Amino acid sequence: MRNMFLAFSMLGATFAYAQQPVKKPLDHSVYDSWQSIGTQLISNNGQWVVYTVTPQEGDASLVIYDRKTATSVTVPRGSSPAISQDSRHVVFSIKPFYKDTREAKIKKKKGPEMPKDSIGIIELGKPGIVKFPGVKSFKIPAKGSGLLAFLTEKPAADSAKSKKTKTGKDTDSDRADDDKSGAGSAESGMLVIRQLHTGIQDTIKNVADYAISKPGNNLLISITSDKKDSLSRTGVLLWHAATRKADTLSRGYGDYKQFAFDEKGEQAAYFGTRDSARALQQFYQLYYYKPGQDSAIVAVNKNTSGVPSNWTISANSLIYFSEEGKRLFFGTAPVLPAKDTTIVDFEVAKVDIWNYKDDYLQPMQLKNADKELKRSYAAVYYPAARRMIQLADKDMETVVVPAKNDGPYALGYTDKGERISLQWIGRTLKTAYLINLEDGTRKKIKDRLDGFFLISPAGNYISWYDLVNKEWVAYNNTAGTTVNMSKGITTAVFDEEDDHPDVPEAYGMAGWMQDDQAVLIYDRYDIWQADPSGKRPAFLLTGGEGRRNKIRFRQVRLDAEQKFFKADETLILSAFSDSTRYNGYYSLRLPGKSGKIKQQPKQLVFSPNSYPELIRAKDAPVYAFTRASYTASPDVYTGEEMAKAVKISSTNPQQQSYNWGTAELYKWTTFSGKQAEGILYKPEDFDSNKKYPVIFYFYEKLTDGLFNYHAPAPTPSRLNISFFVSRGYLVFAPDITYENGYPGKSAYDYIVSAAEDIARKPWADGKNMGIQGQSWGGYQVAYLITQTPLFKAAWAGAPVANMTSAYGGIRWESGMNRQFQYEHSQSRIGATLWEKPELYIENSPLFNLPRVTTPLAIMANDADGAVPWYQGIELFTGLRRLGKPVWMLNYNNEAHNLVQRQNRKDIQRREQQFFDHFLKGAPAPQWLESGVPATEKGINWGF
């Protein structure tokens, strides 16, 4: 009877299992609707969490969650939200319907005819949305409440009319010179200034630009003239929130830009010019206003004492006041030569002249030409004394002002005279100066540093990291003395695992204590507190908790305006486990005035998840964060305790309908006896009694991302892991450590040993294994197929095939020569081509192509700015001549990684067809079997 009962029980269990729906594999149709979390905000009082949910293609939505009632409001197409400081209002853009924008693009409509954004306003806790159509931009005060300013689009009809009059005469000849558009004026619109609490609105016509002060007490507004309105004039207005009235600060023909207020919103500054847009040169002036003046004064122009000869105000520089409003920082620049209008373009030679004495190679100069034409040099104006001081010049281009910028000092540095070696080192030596902000004098404090400089928040110290000596140094700006802050730190402050043929990078610095009393320095795991004066020994803030447990602690910056840490302050630290790859957060209470540590780091949350973003309410102990894993789509959580936080979003519920997968650490021993790790991804319906084809995907080290979510998306050219796993593949991502001079052999040691180890598993189909890599990964793919016939299919994106020809080439995205990459960086040869030619040949796939037996697909794009596409051509033509199966995809005008979404979708489809054919025996598509003739380009895709 008992056996009969068991039999019926088993039959019931089998029947129940059979009723479970079989989950379907992912396909290419799923991409567009797959969601991600976008912007996340939390109100200052901690009650409201606002976030956006964005599909890959389509209409996003804005969600406003009330923590008090645990309810939410969803706004279709809401984006770019902002919460008022008093936590009473949220303001956001409302995008046009995606289908409408797409239709307009199909019909080739231009700016004025394209669908426009709207703006939405919600009073938190109350029903209803106030909407305004056709809004170009909106702003609310950073530290004030109750005010909103937004600029509406100019009506399409008016815009069209304004473009028709190309040669017609101005009927108001008296105003022809006074009201023409300025040097850089934008199309104007109507500015609406709304009192959020009352709904009262003021409007100002013909507004080109505007800025709102941090407290929200004043606005600066640039207006242009309207020939239909005889009373309108070009100029700058100062609008007062208290009186709802405007004063005119500047009036008359010109262009005005770069508006700035001081912290109190009382002093104002901006650039202006009266030169026509058609003038061969435009000269800007710095305008300054303070309460009590009738209008803004010209504070500095090209003739002002202190401005270098033949220099002028740079309208491309930023303007900002010092913290206490005593200084006004801006930029100057040499006067550029006027364009010679007598030169006929078609009679002028087009030539780039390369000179071995040039600081930068011509391609780098050309790449940065626009940036250099707009380069500005720091200067400061003292409003009280009406005095201007030039701080930077061509001999010292970079000036860094401390956070507390009313102090006496600033940092200046330059790499002038050291730039040629950038070609083969990849960085330059820098010389630093201490700048006196009161008179502009400078004192050299460190010559030819291989490292980088920083200035402390209060300006008492200039610090630097010395890459060669592997130490942190502090220079006392008053005493002129230096202290090695690393001296008392008993662990390495540099990357202990760095495997490049170069000096290792520093782990970094968390920041400074108030009044520059101490500095917080990272080692591999922990945080040290060091004394820049050298009077007190360095000590472990985290008590060695990180190194003992192999947990890496790093400070999380939750307040964008925080300039330093205070005694007794509680920091939030991100935490990452080297052994388990768990992520999370800890808290750390800093020592008080006694200097004693009061507690060890305290765990807040630590789990097999990733935590991409964390925010905290300003005035309440409330957090909001994103949590995810390979199996869990990223969602928003909120609460006072992270470990007990409530999930308030639910992205991608459709994932439950698909065969997803799992991710786990996999360990093995390499051929050279090294212990190694990688991530093994398995299908959700994995059956150990079956055999699965395997794709190996690699770059350098990837296991830190064990708990990362991989949305099924058309990637820039990397392997779409979740897609292939869902469709019955195993994917393995090994970590690789490299030996200098032998990057190819190192890749072989780790990847092939892993492949052989996995092939021995009963659930792995060792006869159907493939490899895929992009960029550095693409190089390794190309190298591996010359060394082993183990893999049945290979896909290499943007590979280097020939290190001898690539060595001297140009990275066109930056204009830099590639030598540094081989001698000091990723390619890890560690010597010049003429010093170790044998290493360049040994590590180049091109010289071993006759040994290749693996079918290879290559992506090499003609606008690749990192790896020249002729590397792909060398690889393709070599294999083609040898009669080896090889294909190459060139996505026209595309970059190193694909940018255009239609191209990303295309490559995903081809990658699936490629691996399905070679690893699963699927029929070959036309593009693999016979190709697609150029005459059918854009008509027949060969799928």
Side-chain angles (χ1 to χ4, degrees), residues 638-690:
T638 186
E640 294 184 9
E641 295 182 49
M642 292 188 194
K644 298 179 181 179
V646 177
K647 188 175 82 160
I648 62 173
S649 70
S650 183
T651 60
N652 301 310
Q654 75 277 16
Q655 179 180 314
Q656 299 303 315
S657 301
Y658 291 94
N659 182 38
W660 196 249
T662 60
E664 62 190 61
L665 273 182
Y666 182 94
K667 300 183 180 183
W668 80 102
T669 303
T670 70
F671 298 138
S672 60
K674 298 183 179 70
Q675 298 302 304
E677 293 180 311
I679 306 175
L680 179 61
Y681 298 94
K682 298 177 180 177
E684 184 179 339
D685 61 356
F686 175 79
D687 183 346
S688 59
N689 295 314
K690 294 182 178 180

Side-chain angles (χ1 to χ4, degrees), residues 811-830:
R811 293 178 65 93
W812 295 105
E813 66 188 7
S814 63
M816 290 182 67
N817 184 253
R818 296 176 56 84
Q819 290 176 0
F820 79 93
Q821 185 168 329
Y822 292 89
E823 295 177 40
H824 292 278
S825 188
Q826 189 175 56
S827 298
R828 295 176 171 88
I829 299 299

Side-chain angles (χ1 to χ4, degrees), residues 465-674:
Y465 182 76
D466 189 324
L467 285 163
V468 176
N469 294 317
K470 303 180 180 66
E471 62 187 24
W472 285 98
V473 178
Y475 174 88
N476 188 308
N477 293 340
T478 302
T481 56
T482 58
V483 167
N484 178 2
M485 296 188 292
S486 305
K487 190 174 183 181
I489 298 177
T490 57
T491 54
V493 295
F494 55 88
D495 188 349
E496 299 173 37
E497 295 187 302
D498 187 82
D499 60 2
H500 296 87
D502 201 356
V503 289
E505 296 286 343
Y507 285 115
M509 182 187 288
W512 290 74
M513 296 298 293
Q514 189 172 14
D515 299 324
D516 299 344
Q517 292 296 308
V519 63
L520 276 52
I521 294 173
Y522 295 130
D523 70 10
R524 180 175 177 181
Y525 297 107
D526 289 296
I527 305 175
W528 293 75
Q529 180 168 306
D531 178 13
S533 71
K535 297 176 182 178
R536 297 177 298 277
F539 63 91
L540 266 171
L541 271 180
T542 48
E545 182 81 3
R547 191 166 291 270
R548 278 194 300 273
N549 298 293
K550 292 187 176 181
I551 296 176
R552 184 174 67 226
F553 292 124
R554 296 294 182 261
Q555 189 258 341
V556 180
R557 189 179 181 188
L558 296 175
D559 182 355
E561 294 195 343
Q562 185 178 27
K563 299 170 183 176
F564 47 78
F565 307 125
K566 297 179 180 179
D568 274 327
E569 180 181 348
T570 298
L571 303 184
I572 301 300
L573 309 177
S574 66
F576 172 79
S577 168
D578 266 4
S579 54
T580 65
R581 273 60 172 189
Y582 279 27
N583 292 275
Y585 297 104
Y586 279 61
S587 65
L588 175 68
R589 188 176 177 187
L590 295 176
K593 293 182 179 179
S594 66
K596 294 182 179 180
I597 299 176
K598 297 181 179 179
Q599 66 173 43
Q600 294 295 305
K602 181 181 178 182
Q603 181 178 306
L604 301 178
V605 64
F606 201 57
S607 64
N609 295 97
S610 59
Y611 293 86
E613 186 171 354
L614 172 70
I615 54 178
R616 181 175 61 191
K618 184 177 181 181
D619 303 322
V622 179
Y623 299 92
F625 56 89
T626 307
R627 193 179 84 179
S629 69
Y630 181 75
T631 56
S633 179
D635 274 309
V636 181
Y637 291 72
T638 186
E640 294 184 9
E641 295 182 49
M642 292 188 194
K644 298 179 181 179
V646 177
K647 188 175 82 160
I648 62 173
S649 70
S650 183
T651 60
N652 301 310
Q654 75 277 16
Q655 179 180 314
Q656 299 303 315
S657 301
Y658 291 94
N659 182 38
W660 196 249
T662 60
E664 62 190 61
L665 273 182
Y666 182 94
K667 300 183 180 183
W668 80 102
T669 303
T670 70
F671 298 138
S672 60
K674 298 183 179 70

Side-chain angles (χ1 to χ4, degrees), residues 719-741:
L719 189 74
N720 191 344
I721 292 175
S722 56
F723 179 87
F724 280 98
V725 170
S726 176
R727 301 186 70 84
Y729 287 89
L730 301 178
V731 172
F732 187 68
D735 279 353
I736 305 166
T737 299
Y738 299 90
E739 179 184 355
N740 289 340

